[in-house]
């Protein structure tokens, strides 16, 4: 792609570093900014800079935070004896949206994935194990995606803490609410029969 | 969407102002930046700011430029008596990529589109008419998209200059190279028969 301006070329090149943004999309976005008032670009650039340089990670759970402790860890009304292990901050947001969990989180920052060169030591696992060794955690809920990498990560953590005095559980896997049974994949359907729950239990919303 | 950080929320909100970028995509992009070295965000922000505040529009053709005149208008080897009228800078880039045009451009900055509230006076049309009145332009090539708005814009400009001493032409419309005839739309196919060209002419690459 030939650009008539080095400034434009630089902006497009930087924009196309973002995941899923190719050169053409980057050019479209940058030309859009050119047509908008200058203040929009200034605000975007400033917001990105402030976010990147000033944001903190919660000392306790590794969630993104504006303070040393995130709002969830700092909230005295959350049950600090239940910890939900998640992959990243988007999972925290998804679970918070359901309003069905009142414990704390622990954000690993990824999953063990040898294919991508991510081992246990690249993740935030040791602080979790130490937290459990301190003895105040009663239940650990694994809420990683039900994939090979998620299961591997769950199992790795489980091995570290299995001799400690903590109950472990994993989020229920089964047919999604509203799904048609005939289109469900066979592993999910098979497990949902093996792991069936008492009918009264399913009535809880 | 609930954010655990105001800085993150602000960055996501600004990012989702871009066309085609929703809140979820914006969050994905912003979290990606958080995982990358700080320098990447600094460079992106700086490139966008520099681009928006320092970029110029060529005094002659309205193309994006780093100087008062763009590289094309400033190039003495281009034929200044032929002007190609295009909608925006992406069209200039597309035509330049073909290396088949050696004249100058005139960038309108849009098309007449009453539906979007864009009239002739919102576009860079008057400078073009003045340029032609000066008498140095011999040929004007309309290279707008063959849509209703493009045709309207062509016709509006044509009416302004029809009494002046300038040849007007429009880029050829017809079946794209490599297209299957049976799948071509009927307007295109019909016109390609009406506007057929001498066979020897089609041999020029």
């Amino acid at each position: 792609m030939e650009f008539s301006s080095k400034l434009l070329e630089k902006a497009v090149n930087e924009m196309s570093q973002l995941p899923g943004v190719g050169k053409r999309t980057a050019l479209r976005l940058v030309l859009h900014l050119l047509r908008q008032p200058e203040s929009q670009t200034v605000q975007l650039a400033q917001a990105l800079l402030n976010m990147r340089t000033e944001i903190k990670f919660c000392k306790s759970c590794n969630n993104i935070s504006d303070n040393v402790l995130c709002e969830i860890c700092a909230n005295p009304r959350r049950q600090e004896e239940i910890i939900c292990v998640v992959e990243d901050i988007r999972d925290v947001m998804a679970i918070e949206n359901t309003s069905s969990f009142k414990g704390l989180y622990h954000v690993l920052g990824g999953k063990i994935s040898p294919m991508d060169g991510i081992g246990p030591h690249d993740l935030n696992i040791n602080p979790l194990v130490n937290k459990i060794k301190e003895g105040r955690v009663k239940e650990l809920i694994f809420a990683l995606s039900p994939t090979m990498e998620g299961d591997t990560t769950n199992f790795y953590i489980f091995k570290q803490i299995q001799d400690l005095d903590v109950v472990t559980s994993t989020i229920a896997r089964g047919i999604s609410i509203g799904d048609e049974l005939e289109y469900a994949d066979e592993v999910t359907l098979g497990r949902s029969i093996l792991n069936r729950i008492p009918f009264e239990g399913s009535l809880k919303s």
Side-chain angles (χ1 to χ4, degrees), chain A residues 58 60-63 70 72-73 78-79 82-86 88 91-108 124 128 131 141 143:
Chain A
C58 172
S60 171
C61 73
N62 197 33
N63 190 7
C70 73
I72 297 171
C73 288
R78 310 281 305 210
Q79 302 167 275
I82 306 181
I83 288 187
C84 180
V85 181
V86 294
D88 79 8
D91 303 323
V92 173
M93 291 169 65
I95 297 176
E96 282 297 286
N97 268 343
T98 68
S99 307
S100 61
F101 180 65
K102 295 292 166 220
L104 305 182
Y105 295 92
H106 188 89
V107 181
L108 295 177
N124 185 35
L128 174 65
K131 227 187 276 181
I141 305 173

PDB file of all heavy atoms in Angstrom, chain A residues 58 60-63 70 72-73 78-79 82-86 88 91-108 124 128 131 141 143:
ATOM      1  N   CYS A  58      -4.786  -5.820  40.741  1.00  0.00           N
ATOM      2  CA  CYS A  58      -5.116  -6.008  42.155  1.00  0.00           C
ATOM      3  C   CYS A  58      -4.066  -6.915  42.806  1.00  0.00           C
ATOM      4  O   CYS A  58      -3.767  -7.999  42.291  1.00  0.00           O
ATOM      5  CB  CYS A  58      -6.496  -6.617  42.275  1.00  0.00           C
ATOM      6  SG  CYS A  58      -6.917  -7.103  43.940  1.00  0.00           S
ATOM      7  N   SER A  60      -4.233  -8.726  45.296  1.00  0.00           N
ATOM      8  CA  SER A  60      -4.743  -9.986  45.798  1.00  0.00           C
ATOM      9  C   SER A  60      -5.192 -10.927  44.673  1.00  0.00           C
ATOM     10  O   SER A  60      -4.802 -12.088  44.643  1.00  0.00           O
ATOM     11  CB  SER A  60      -5.902  -9.710  46.754  1.00  0.00           C
ATOM     12  OG  SER A  60      -6.537 -10.910  47.088  1.00  0.00           O
ATOM     13  N   CYS A  61      -5.985 -10.413  43.720  1.00  0.00           N
ATOM     14  CA  CYS A  61      -6.594 -11.340  42.759  1.00  0.00           C
ATOM     15  C   CYS A  61      -6.080 -11.153  41.339  1.00  0.00           C
ATOM     16  O   CYS A  61      -6.469 -11.897  40.435  1.00  0.00           O
ATOM     17  CB  CYS A  61      -8.115 -11.205  42.779  1.00  0.00           C
ATOM     18  SG  CYS A  61      -8.711  -9.694  42.013  1.00  0.00           S
ATOM     19  N   ASN A  62      -5.263 -10.115  41.085  1.00  0.00           N
ATOM     20  CA  ASN A  62      -4.693  -9.889  39.747  1.00  0.00           C
ATOM     21  C   ASN A  62      -5.711  -9.349  38.749  1.00  0.00           C
ATOM     22  O   ASN A  62      -5.454  -9.291  37.555  1.00  0.00           O
ATOM     23  CB  ASN A  62      -4.068 -11.188  39.204  1.00  0.00           C
ATOM     24  CG  ASN A  62      -3.120 -10.943  38.060  1.00  0.00           C
ATOM     25  OD1 ASN A  62      -2.460  -9.907  38.026  1.00  0.00           O
ATOM     26  ND2 ASN A  62      -3.072 -11.855  37.127  1.00  0.00           N
ATOM     27  N   ASN A  63      -6.892  -8.963  39.237  1.00  0.00           N
ATOM     28  CA  ASN A  63      -7.875  -8.303  38.386  1.00  0.00           C
ATOM     29  C   ASN A  63      -7.373  -6.897  38.066  1.00  0.00           C
ATOM     30  O   ASN A  63      -6.569  -6.337  38.802  1.00  0.00           O
ATOM     31  CB  ASN A  63      -9.210  -8.222  39.145  1.00  0.00           C
ATOM     32  CG  ASN A  63     -10.365  -7.771  38.278  1.00  0.00           C
ATOM     33  OD1 ASN A  63     -10.223  -7.628  37.062  1.00  0.00           O
ATOM     34  ND2 ASN A  63     -11.520  -7.562  38.906  1.00  0.00           N
ATOM     35  N   CYS A  70      -8.608  -4.401  44.138  1.00  0.00           N
ATOM     36  CA  CYS A  70      -9.729  -4.084  43.258  1.00  0.00           C
ATOM     37  C   CYS A  70     -11.009  -3.937  44.082  1.00  0.00           C
ATOM     38  O   CYS A  70     -11.058  -4.302  45.261  1.00  0.00           O
ATOM     39  CB  CYS A  70      -9.904  -5.166  42.198  1.00  0.00           C
ATOM     40  SG  CYS A  70     -10.574  -6.702  42.816  1.00  0.00           S
ATOM     41  N   ILE A  72     -13.714  -5.508  44.086  1.00  0.00           N
ATOM     42  CA  ILE A  72     -14.308  -6.762  44.574  1.00  0.00           C
ATOM     43  C   ILE A  72     -13.567  -7.243  45.819  1.00  0.00           C
ATOM     44  O   ILE A  72     -14.177  -7.548  46.846  1.00  0.00           O
ATOM     45  CB  ILE A  72     -14.292  -7.838  43.461  1.00  0.00           C
ATOM     46  CG1 ILE A  72     -15.158  -7.365  42.289  1.00  0.00           C
ATOM     47  CG2 ILE A  72     -14.772  -9.172  43.990  1.00  0.00           C
ATOM     48  CD1 ILE A  72     -15.067  -8.226  41.050  1.00  0.00           C
ATOM     49  N   CYS A  73     -12.228  -7.262  45.763  1.00  0.00           N
ATOM     50  CA  CYS A  73     -11.448  -7.717  46.923  1.00  0.00           C
ATOM     51  C   CYS A  73     -11.611  -6.757  48.100  1.00  0.00           C
ATOM     52  O   CYS A  73     -11.525  -7.169  49.268  1.00  0.00           O
ATOM     53  CB  CYS A  73      -9.965  -7.830  46.561  1.00  0.00           C
ATOM     54  SG  CYS A  73      -9.614  -9.233  45.486  1.00  0.00           S
ATOM     55  N   ARG A  78     -18.206  -9.279  50.357  1.00  0.00           N
ATOM     56  CA  ARG A  78     -17.966 -10.480  49.556  1.00  0.00           C
ATOM     57  C   ARG A  78     -17.431 -11.576  50.485  1.00  0.00           C
ATOM     58  O   ARG A  78     -16.736 -11.306  51.473  1.00  0.00           O
ATOM     59  CB  ARG A  78     -16.923 -10.211  48.460  1.00  0.00           C
ATOM     60  CG  ARG A  78     -17.161  -8.981  47.612  1.00  0.00           C
ATOM     61  CD  ARG A  78     -18.174  -9.128  46.529  1.00  0.00           C
ATOM     62  NE  ARG A  78     -17.971 -10.203  45.605  1.00  0.00           N
ATOM     63  CZ  ARG A  78     -18.372 -10.161  44.321  1.00  0.00           C
ATOM     64  NH1 ARG A  78     -18.950  -9.080  43.829  1.00  0.00           N
ATOM     65  NH2 ARG A  78     -18.210 -11.193  43.545  1.00  0.00           N
ATOM     66  N   GLN A  79     -17.737 -12.850  50.144  1.00  0.00           N
ATOM     67  CA  GLN A  79     -17.294 -13.968  50.983  1.00  0.00           C
ATOM     68  C   GLN A  79     -15.865 -14.325  50.616  1.00  0.00           C
ATOM     69  O   GLN A  79     -15.630 -14.972  49.588  1.00  0.00           O
ATOM     70  CB  GLN A  79     -18.198 -15.172  50.731  1.00  0.00           C
ATOM     71  CG  GLN A  79     -19.661 -14.913  51.011  1.00  0.00           C
ATOM     72  CD  GLN A  79     -20.533 -16.025  50.454  1.00  0.00           C
ATOM     73  OE1 GLN A  79     -20.910 -16.017  49.288  1.00  0.00           O
ATOM     74  NE2 GLN A  79     -20.816 -17.009  51.287  1.00  0.00           N
ATOM     75  N   ILE A  82     -14.506 -18.079  49.601  1.00  0.00           N
ATOM     76  CA  ILE A  82     -14.777 -18.772  48.334  1.00  0.00           C
ATOM     77  C   ILE A  82     -14.033 -18.040  47.217  1.00  0.00           C
ATOM     78  O   ILE A  82     -14.191 -16.829  47.058  1.00  0.00           O
ATOM     79  CB  ILE A  82     -16.284 -18.779  47.997  1.00  0.00           C
ATOM     80  CG1 ILE A  82     -17.084 -19.366  49.166  1.00  0.00           C
ATOM     81  CG2 ILE A  82     -16.533 -19.580  46.729  1.00  0.00           C
ATOM     82  CD1 ILE A  82     -18.571 -19.429  48.893  1.00  0.00           C
ATOM     83  N   ILE A  83     -13.201 -18.765  46.482  1.00  0.00           N
ATOM     84  CA  ILE A  83     -12.442 -18.132  45.396  1.00  0.00           C
ATOM     85  C   ILE A  83     -12.765 -18.803  44.069  1.00  0.00           C
ATOM     86  O   ILE A  83     -12.776 -20.039  43.976  1.00  0.00           O
ATOM     87  CB  ILE A  83     -10.921 -18.187  45.677  1.00  0.00           C
ATOM     88  CG1 ILE A  83     -10.597 -17.209  46.815  1.00  0.00           C
ATOM     89  CG2 ILE A  83     -10.120 -17.844  44.434  1.00  0.00           C
ATOM     90  CD1 ILE A  83      -9.136 -17.046  47.063  1.00  0.00           C
ATOM     91  N   CYS A  84     -13.062 -17.991  43.091  1.00  0.00           N
ATOM     92  CA  CYS A  84     -13.372 -18.482  41.758  1.00  0.00           C
ATOM     93  C   CYS A  84     -12.161 -18.213  40.858  1.00  0.00           C
ATOM     94  O   CYS A  84     -11.736 -17.074  40.692  1.00  0.00           O
ATOM     95  CB  CYS A  84     -14.609 -17.750  41.243  1.00  0.00           C
ATOM     96  SG  CYS A  84     -15.120 -18.260  39.616  1.00  0.00           S
ATOM     97  N   VAL A  85     -11.599 -19.284  40.281  1.00  0.00           N
ATOM     98  CA  VAL A  85     -10.400 -19.151  39.451  1.00  0.00           C
ATOM     99  C   VAL A  85     -10.818 -18.926  38.002  1.00  0.00           C
ATOM    100  O   VAL A  85     -11.542 -19.746  37.431  1.00  0.00           O
ATOM    101  CB  VAL A  85      -9.547 -20.439  39.536  1.00  0.00           C
ATOM    102  CG1 VAL A  85      -8.293 -20.300  38.699  1.00  0.00           C
ATOM    103  CG2 VAL A  85      -9.201 -20.746  40.977  1.00  0.00           C
ATOM    104  N   VAL A  86     -10.398 -17.820  37.415  1.00  0.00           N
ATOM    105  CA  VAL A  86     -10.761 -17.539  36.020  1.00  0.00           C
ATOM    106  C   VAL A  86      -9.512 -17.233  35.203  1.00  0.00           C
ATOM    107  O   VAL A  86      -8.442 -16.967  35.756  1.00  0.00           O
ATOM    108  CB  VAL A  86     -11.744 -16.355  35.906  1.00  0.00           C
ATOM    109  CG1 VAL A  86     -13.086 -16.688  36.537  1.00  0.00           C
ATOM    110  CG2 VAL A  86     -11.149 -15.110  36.519  1.00  0.00           C
ATOM    111  N   ASP A  88      -9.166 -14.729  32.562  1.00  0.00           N
ATOM    112  CA  ASP A  88      -8.823 -13.308  32.495  1.00  0.00           C
ATOM    113  C   ASP A  88      -9.966 -12.410  32.923  1.00  0.00           C
ATOM    114  O   ASP A  88     -11.038 -12.872  33.292  1.00  0.00           O
ATOM    115  CB  ASP A  88      -8.192 -12.912  31.146  1.00  0.00           C
ATOM    116  CG  ASP A  88      -9.203 -12.737  30.033  1.00  0.00           C
ATOM    117  OD1 ASP A  88     -10.408 -12.765  30.315  1.00  0.00           O
ATOM    118  OD2 ASP A  88      -8.774 -12.553  28.880  1.00  0.00           O
ATOM    119  N   ASP A  91     -13.631 -12.793  31.992  1.00  0.00           N
ATOM    120  CA  ASP A  91     -14.432 -13.812  32.667  1.00  0.00           C
ATOM    121  C   ASP A  91     -14.996 -13.259  33.981  1.00  0.00           C
ATOM    122  O   ASP A  91     -16.121 -13.561  34.355  1.00  0.00           O
ATOM    123  CB  ASP A  91     -13.580 -15.051  32.930  1.00  0.00           C
ATOM    124  CG  ASP A  91     -12.985 -15.606  31.643  1.00  0.00           C
ATOM    125  OD1 ASP A  91     -13.695 -15.558  30.621  1.00  0.00           O
ATOM    126  OD2 ASP A  91     -11.837 -16.055  31.649  1.00  0.00           O
ATOM    127  N   VAL A  92     -14.192 -12.435  34.660  1.00  0.00           N
ATOM    128  CA  VAL A  92     -14.692 -11.793  35.882  1.00  0.00           C
ATOM    129  C   VAL A  92     -15.922 -10.956  35.528  1.00  0.00           C
ATOM    130  O   VAL A  92     -16.968 -11.046  36.195  1.00  0.00           O
ATOM    131  CB  VAL A  92     -13.614 -10.876  36.517  1.00  0.00           C
ATOM    132  CG1 VAL A  92     -14.202 -10.097  37.684  1.00  0.00           C
ATOM    133  CG2 VAL A  92     -12.408 -11.694  36.960  1.00  0.00           C
ATOM    134  N   MET A  93     -15.808 -10.173  34.442  1.00  0.00           N
ATOM    135  CA  MET A  93     -16.926  -9.313  34.064  1.00  0.00           C
ATOM    136  C   MET A  93     -18.156 -10.135  33.705  1.00  0.00           C
ATOM    137  O   MET A  93     -19.285  -9.785  34.063  1.00  0.00           O
ATOM    138  CB  MET A  93     -16.518  -8.429  32.882  1.00  0.00           C
ATOM    139  CG  MET A  93     -15.487  -7.389  33.292  1.00  0.00           C
ATOM    140  SD  MET A  93     -14.748  -6.540  31.874  1.00  0.00           S
ATOM    141  CE  MET A  93     -16.160  -5.698  31.230  1.00  0.00           C
ATOM    142  N   ALA A  94     -17.929 -11.272  32.995  1.00  0.00           N
ATOM    143  CA  ALA A  94     -19.059 -12.110  32.590  1.00  0.00           C
ATOM    144  C   ALA A  94     -19.750 -12.697  33.819  1.00  0.00           C
ATOM    145  O   ALA A  94     -20.983 -12.703  33.909  1.00  0.00           O
ATOM    146  CB  ALA A  94     -18.573 -13.223  31.661  1.00  0.00           C
ATOM    147  N   ILE A  95     -18.962 -13.177  34.798  1.00  0.00           N
ATOM    148  CA  ILE A  95     -19.576 -13.786  35.986  1.00  0.00           C
ATOM    149  C   ILE A  95     -20.247 -12.712  36.850  1.00  0.00           C
ATOM    150  O   ILE A  95     -21.353 -12.905  37.357  1.00  0.00           O
ATOM    151  CB  ILE A  95     -18.522 -14.587  36.795  1.00  0.00           C
ATOM    152  CG1 ILE A  95     -17.993 -15.742  35.938  1.00  0.00           C
ATOM    153  CG2 ILE A  95     -19.124 -15.119  38.095  1.00  0.00           C
ATOM    154  CD1 ILE A  95     -16.894 -16.551  36.583  1.00  0.00           C
ATOM    155  N   GLU A  96     -19.603 -11.542  36.977  1.00  0.00           N
ATOM    156  CA  GLU A  96     -20.206 -10.459  37.748  1.00  0.00           C
ATOM    157  C   GLU A  96     -21.561 -10.056  37.164  1.00  0.00           C
ATOM    158  O   GLU A  96     -22.488  -9.723  37.900  1.00  0.00           O
ATOM    159  CB  GLU A  96     -19.279  -9.229  37.784  1.00  0.00           C
ATOM    160  CG  GLU A  96     -18.132  -9.349  38.769  1.00  0.00           C
ATOM    161  CD  GLU A  96     -18.612  -9.468  40.206  1.00  0.00           C
ATOM    162  OE1 GLU A  96     -19.051  -8.451  40.760  1.00  0.00           O
ATOM    163  OE2 GLU A  96     -18.567 -10.589  40.757  1.00  0.00           O
ATOM    164  N   ASN A  97     -21.663 -10.096  35.840  1.00  0.00           N
ATOM    165  CA  ASN A  97     -22.916  -9.730  35.181  1.00  0.00           C
ATOM    166  C   ASN A  97     -24.066 -10.636  35.592  1.00  0.00           C
ATOM    167  O   ASN A  97     -25.220 -10.238  35.528  1.00  0.00           O
ATOM    168  CB  ASN A  97     -22.760  -9.799  33.657  1.00  0.00           C
ATOM    169  CG  ASN A  97     -22.359  -8.462  33.087  1.00  0.00           C
ATOM    170  OD1 ASN A  97     -22.506  -7.440  33.753  1.00  0.00           O
ATOM    171  ND2 ASN A  97     -21.865  -8.466  31.869  1.00  0.00           N
ATOM    172  N   THR A  98     -23.752 -11.895  35.969  1.00  0.00           N
ATOM    173  CA  THR A  98     -24.826 -12.818  36.336  1.00  0.00           C
ATOM    174  C   THR A  98     -25.323 -12.564  37.755  1.00  0.00           C
ATOM    175  O   THR A  98     -26.371 -13.072  38.137  1.00  0.00           O
ATOM    176  CB  THR A  98     -24.348 -14.284  36.285  1.00  0.00           C
ATOM    177  OG1 THR A  98     -23.389 -14.485  37.343  1.00  0.00           O
ATOM    178  CG2 THR A  98     -23.674 -14.611  34.962  1.00  0.00           C
ATOM    179  N   SER A  99     -24.576 -11.811  38.556  1.00  0.00           N
ATOM    180  CA  SER A  99     -24.930 -11.506  39.953  1.00  0.00           C
ATOM    181  C   SER A  99     -25.152 -12.769  40.772  1.00  0.00           C
ATOM    182  O   SER A  99     -25.903 -12.752  41.731  1.00  0.00           O
ATOM    183  CB  SER A  99     -26.200 -10.650  40.044  1.00  0.00           C
ATOM    184  OG  SER A  99     -26.088  -9.518  39.251  1.00  0.00           O
ATOM    185  N   SER A 100     -24.565 -13.899  40.388  1.00  0.00           N
ATOM    186  CA  SER A 100     -24.845 -15.132  41.112  1.00  0.00           C
ATOM    187  C   SER A 100     -23.655 -15.575  41.956  1.00  0.00           C
ATOM    188  O   SER A 100     -23.698 -16.636  42.561  1.00  0.00           O
ATOM    189  CB  SER A 100     -25.215 -16.238  40.122  1.00  0.00           C
ATOM    190  OG  SER A 100     -24.150 -16.469  39.242  1.00  0.00           O
ATOM    191  N   PHE A 101     -22.592 -14.775  41.991  1.00  0.00           N
ATOM    192  CA  PHE A 101     -21.408 -15.171  42.754  1.00  0.00           C
ATOM    193  C   PHE A 101     -21.021 -14.053  43.705  1.00  0.00           C
ATOM    194  O   PHE A 101     -20.909 -12.899  43.292  1.00  0.00           O
ATOM    195  CB  PHE A 101     -20.261 -15.487  41.791  1.00  0.00           C
ATOM    196  CG  PHE A 101     -18.989 -15.901  42.477  1.00  0.00           C
ATOM    197  CD1 PHE A 101     -18.932 -17.078  43.212  1.00  0.00           C
ATOM    198  CD2 PHE A 101     -17.851 -15.113  42.403  1.00  0.00           C
ATOM    199  CE1 PHE A 101     -17.762 -17.460  43.854  1.00  0.00           C
ATOM    200  CE2 PHE A 101     -16.680 -15.490  43.043  1.00  0.00           C
ATOM    201  CZ  PHE A 101     -16.638 -16.664  43.772  1.00  0.00           C
ATOM    202  N   LYS A 102     -20.867 -14.383  44.982  1.00  0.00           N
ATOM    203  CA  LYS A 102     -20.587 -13.355  45.979  1.00  0.00           C
ATOM    204  C   LYS A 102     -19.217 -13.531  46.623  1.00  0.00           C
ATOM    205  O   LYS A 102     -18.902 -12.890  47.620  1.00  0.00           O
ATOM    206  CB  LYS A 102     -21.665 -13.373  47.079  1.00  0.00           C
ATOM    207  CG  LYS A 102     -23.040 -12.985  46.564  1.00  0.00           C
ATOM    208  CD  LYS A 102     -23.069 -11.511  46.160  1.00  0.00           C
ATOM    209  CE  LYS A 102     -24.315 -11.176  45.330  1.00  0.00           C
ATOM    210  NZ  LYS A 102     -23.994 -10.267  44.223  1.00  0.00           N
ATOM    211  N   GLY A 103     -18.397 -14.461  46.066  1.00  0.00           N
ATOM    212  CA  GLY A 103     -17.066 -14.667  46.618  1.00  0.00           C
ATOM    213  C   GLY A 103     -16.050 -13.763  45.937  1.00  0.00           C
ATOM    214  O   GLY A 103     -16.398 -12.740  45.354  1.00  0.00           O
ATOM    215  N   LEU A 104     -14.772 -14.141  46.036  1.00  0.00           N
ATOM    216  CA  LEU A 104     -13.715 -13.383  45.378  1.00  0.00           C
ATOM    217  C   LEU A 104     -13.226 -14.142  44.133  1.00  0.00           C
ATOM    218  O   LEU A 104     -13.573 -15.306  43.934  1.00  0.00           O
ATOM    219  CB  LEU A 104     -12.547 -13.160  46.350  1.00  0.00           C
ATOM    220  CG  LEU A 104     -12.896 -12.492  47.677  1.00  0.00           C
ATOM    221  CD1 LEU A 104     -11.628 -12.295  48.508  1.00  0.00           C
ATOM    222  CD2 LEU A 104     -13.600 -11.163  47.457  1.00  0.00           C
ATOM    223  N   TYR A 105     -12.414 -13.464  43.345  1.00  0.00           N
ATOM    224  CA  TYR A 105     -11.864 -14.092  42.143  1.00  0.00           C
ATOM    225  C   TYR A 105     -10.362 -14.265  42.266  1.00  0.00           C
ATOM    226  O   TYR A 105      -9.713 -13.651  43.117  1.00  0.00           O
ATOM    227  CB  TYR A 105     -12.143 -13.228  40.905  1.00  0.00           C
ATOM    228  CG  TYR A 105     -13.602 -13.118  40.592  1.00  0.00           C
ATOM    229  CD1 TYR A 105     -14.358 -12.070  41.112  1.00  0.00           C
ATOM    230  CD2 TYR A 105     -14.228 -14.061  39.804  1.00  0.00           C
ATOM    231  CE1 TYR A 105     -15.712 -11.972  40.838  1.00  0.00           C
ATOM    232  CE2 TYR A 105     -15.576 -13.974  39.523  1.00  0.00           C
ATOM    233  CZ  TYR A 105     -16.306 -12.922  40.049  1.00  0.00           C
ATOM    234  OH  TYR A 105     -17.629 -12.845  39.776  1.00  0.00           O
ATOM    235  N   HIS A 106      -9.824 -15.106  41.383  1.00  0.00           N
ATOM    236  CA  HIS A 106      -8.378 -15.138  41.204  1.00  0.00           C
ATOM    237  C   HIS A 106      -8.127 -15.232  39.701  1.00  0.00           C
ATOM    238  O   HIS A 106      -8.515 -16.226  39.066  1.00  0.00           O
ATOM    239  CB  HIS A 106      -7.744 -16.324  41.939  1.00  0.00           C
ATOM    240  CG  HIS A 106      -6.252 -16.269  41.914  1.00  0.00           C
ATOM    241  ND1 HIS A 106      -5.529 -15.615  42.881  1.00  0.00           N
ATOM    242  CD2 HIS A 106      -5.367 -16.730  41.005  1.00  0.00           C
ATOM    243  CE1 HIS A 106      -4.250 -15.699  42.572  1.00  0.00           C
ATOM    244  NE2 HIS A 106      -4.119 -16.366  41.440  1.00  0.00           N
ATOM    245  N   VAL A 107      -7.502 -14.202  39.144  1.00  0.00           N
ATOM    246  CA  VAL A 107      -7.299 -14.139  37.695  1.00  0.00           C
ATOM    247  C   VAL A 107      -5.920 -14.701  37.346  1.00  0.00           C
ATOM    248  O   VAL A 107      -4.893 -14.174  37.775  1.00  0.00           O
ATOM    249  CB  VAL A 107      -7.411 -12.679  37.197  1.00  0.00           C
ATOM    250  CG1 VAL A 107      -7.218 -12.617  35.686  1.00  0.00           C
ATOM    251  CG2 VAL A 107      -8.755 -12.076  37.590  1.00  0.00           C
ATOM    252  N   LEU A 108      -5.911 -15.798  36.559  1.00  0.00           N
ATOM    253  CA  LEU A 108      -4.647 -16.456  36.225  1.00  0.00           C
ATOM    254  C   LEU A 108      -3.857 -15.691  35.158  1.00  0.00           C
ATOM    255  O   LEU A 108      -2.640 -15.770  35.104  1.00  0.00           O
ATOM    256  CB  LEU A 108      -4.905 -17.876  35.717  1.00  0.00           C
ATOM    257  CG  LEU A 108      -5.500 -18.856  36.729  1.00  0.00           C
ATOM    258  CD1 LEU A 108      -5.763 -20.190  36.046  1.00  0.00           C
ATOM    259  CD2 LEU A 108      -4.554 -19.033  37.913  1.00  0.00           C
ATOM    260  N   ASN A 124      -0.367 -16.772  36.949  1.00  0.00           N
ATOM    261  CA  ASN A 124      -0.433 -16.275  38.317  1.00  0.00           C
ATOM    262  C   ASN A 124      -0.933 -17.394  39.233  1.00  0.00           C
ATOM    263  O   ASN A 124      -1.950 -17.252  39.909  1.00  0.00           O
ATOM    264  CB  ASN A 124      -1.395 -15.073  38.293  1.00  0.00           C
ATOM    265  CG  ASN A 124      -1.484 -14.376  39.606  1.00  0.00           C
ATOM    266  OD1 ASN A 124      -0.495 -14.286  40.325  1.00  0.00           O
ATOM    267  ND2 ASN A 124      -2.679 -13.888  39.931  1.00  0.00           N
ATOM    268  N   LEU A 128      -1.940 -18.022  44.161  1.00  0.00           N
ATOM    269  CA  LEU A 128      -3.186 -18.711  44.505  1.00  0.00           C
ATOM    270  C   LEU A 128      -2.904 -19.844  45.490  1.00  0.00           C
ATOM    271  O   LEU A 128      -3.591 -19.985  46.512  1.00  0.00           O
ATOM    272  CB  LEU A 128      -3.839 -19.254  43.231  1.00  0.00           C
ATOM    273  CG  LEU A 128      -5.076 -20.128  43.420  1.00  0.00           C
ATOM    274  CD1 LEU A 128      -6.214 -19.323  44.031  1.00  0.00           C
ATOM    275  CD2 LEU A 128      -5.523 -20.753  42.103  1.00  0.00           C
ATOM    276  N   LYS A 131      -2.153 -18.475  48.840  1.00  0.00           N
ATOM    277  CA  LYS A 131      -3.372 -17.996  49.481  1.00  0.00           C
ATOM    278  C   LYS A 131      -4.094 -19.154  50.158  1.00  0.00           C
ATOM    279  O   LYS A 131      -4.597 -19.041  51.275  1.00  0.00           O
ATOM    280  CB  LYS A 131      -4.286 -17.377  48.404  1.00  0.00           C
ATOM    281  CG  LYS A 131      -4.876 -16.024  48.756  1.00  0.00           C
ATOM    282  CD  LYS A 131      -5.884 -15.583  47.700  1.00  0.00           C
ATOM    283  CE  LYS A 131      -5.262 -14.911  46.488  1.00  0.00           C
ATOM    284  NZ  LYS A 131      -6.300 -14.474  45.507  1.00  0.00           N
ATOM    285  N   ILE A 141     -13.457 -22.611  43.220  1.00  0.00           N
ATOM    286  CA  ILE A 141     -14.290 -22.973  42.074  1.00  0.00           C
ATOM    287  C   ILE A 141     -13.476 -22.763  40.795  1.00  0.00           C
ATOM    288  O   ILE A 141     -13.012 -21.655  40.535  1.00  0.00           O
ATOM    289  CB  ILE A 141     -15.554 -22.082  42.009  1.00  0.00           C
ATOM    290  CG1 ILE A 141     -16.319 -22.144  43.326  1.00  0.00           C
ATOM    291  CG2 ILE A 141     -16.423 -22.476  40.830  1.00  0.00           C
ATOM    292  CD1 ILE A 141     -17.482 -21.172  43.401  1.00  0.00           C
ATOM    293  N   ALA A 143     -13.320 -22.022  37.123  1.00  0.00           N
ATOM    294  CA  ALA A 143     -14.231 -21.504  36.092  1.00  0.00           C
ATOM    295  C   ALA A 143     -13.461 -21.180  34.817  1.00  0.00           C
ATOM    296  O   ALA A 143     -13.624 -20.116  34.233  1.00  0.00           O
ATOM    297  CB  ALA A 143     -14.974 -20.278  36.610  1.00  0.00           C
TER     298      ALA A 143
END
